Amino acid sequence: MRFGLFGGTFNPVHLGHLRAALEVKEGFELSKIFLIPAALPPHKIPGDVVDAGDRLQMLNLALEDKAEISVSDIELKRSGPSYTCLLYTSDAADEVV
């Protein structure tokens, strides 16, 4: 099985995020793709970003009827800024699947 990880702020999630995720999934013939909301995006002003729990809930609602895309809260469990490279270079990525 092949999985994809698609991180972002998703502030808010929109059709562009979902279409991009599906294109990547299909283009790379992935079994599933996981959307991973950033807890503390380092490139955003904190007051301008919706609460991470609310963004996670929005993602779950947006994906209710899309079995080929899942959501992971792995970044919300980490402390500190959410740098995608830290997820990819750690054992944390194994917890996603």
Side-chain angles (χ1 to χ4, degrees), residues 41-54:
H43 60 291
K44 303 278 185 176
I45 299 168
D48 291 346
V49 178
V50 173
D51 176 74
D54 291 340

Side-chain angles (χ1 to χ4, degrees), residues 7-43:
T9 307
F10 305 109
N11 187 50
V13 63
H14 53 75
L15 289 176
H17 293 122
L18 305 182
R19 187 71 238 154
L22 287 172
E23 291 291 332
V24 168
K25 181 191 172 296
E26 293 167 9
F28 287 94
E29 299 177 358
L30 303 174
S31 304
K32 187 172 281 252
I33 190 160
F34 292 87
L35 299 187
I36 305 171
L40 298 170
H43 60 291

Side-chain angles (χ1 to χ4, degrees), residues 24-88:
V24 168
K25 181 191 172 296
E26 293 167 9
F28 287 94
E29 299 177 358
L30 303 174
S31 304
K32 187 172 281 252
I33 190 160
F34 292 87
L35 299 187
I36 305 171
L40 298 170
H43 60 291
K44 303 278 185 176
I45 299 168
D48 291 346
V49 178
V50 173
D51 176 74
D54 291 340
R55 290 183 285 116
L56 178 67
Q57 186 175 1
M58 284 189 280
L59 276 169
N60 283 319
L61 289 170
L63 298 172
E64 280 182 335
D65 62 343
K66 294 178 178 37
E68 64 275 12
I69 306 175
S70 293
V71 179
S72 171
D73 64 352
I74 190 70
E75 279 294 314
L76 306 185
K77 295 176 182 176
R78 287 185 355 86
S79 61
S82 298
Y83 291 103
T84 303
C85 64
L86 295 178
L87 174 64
Y88 293 156

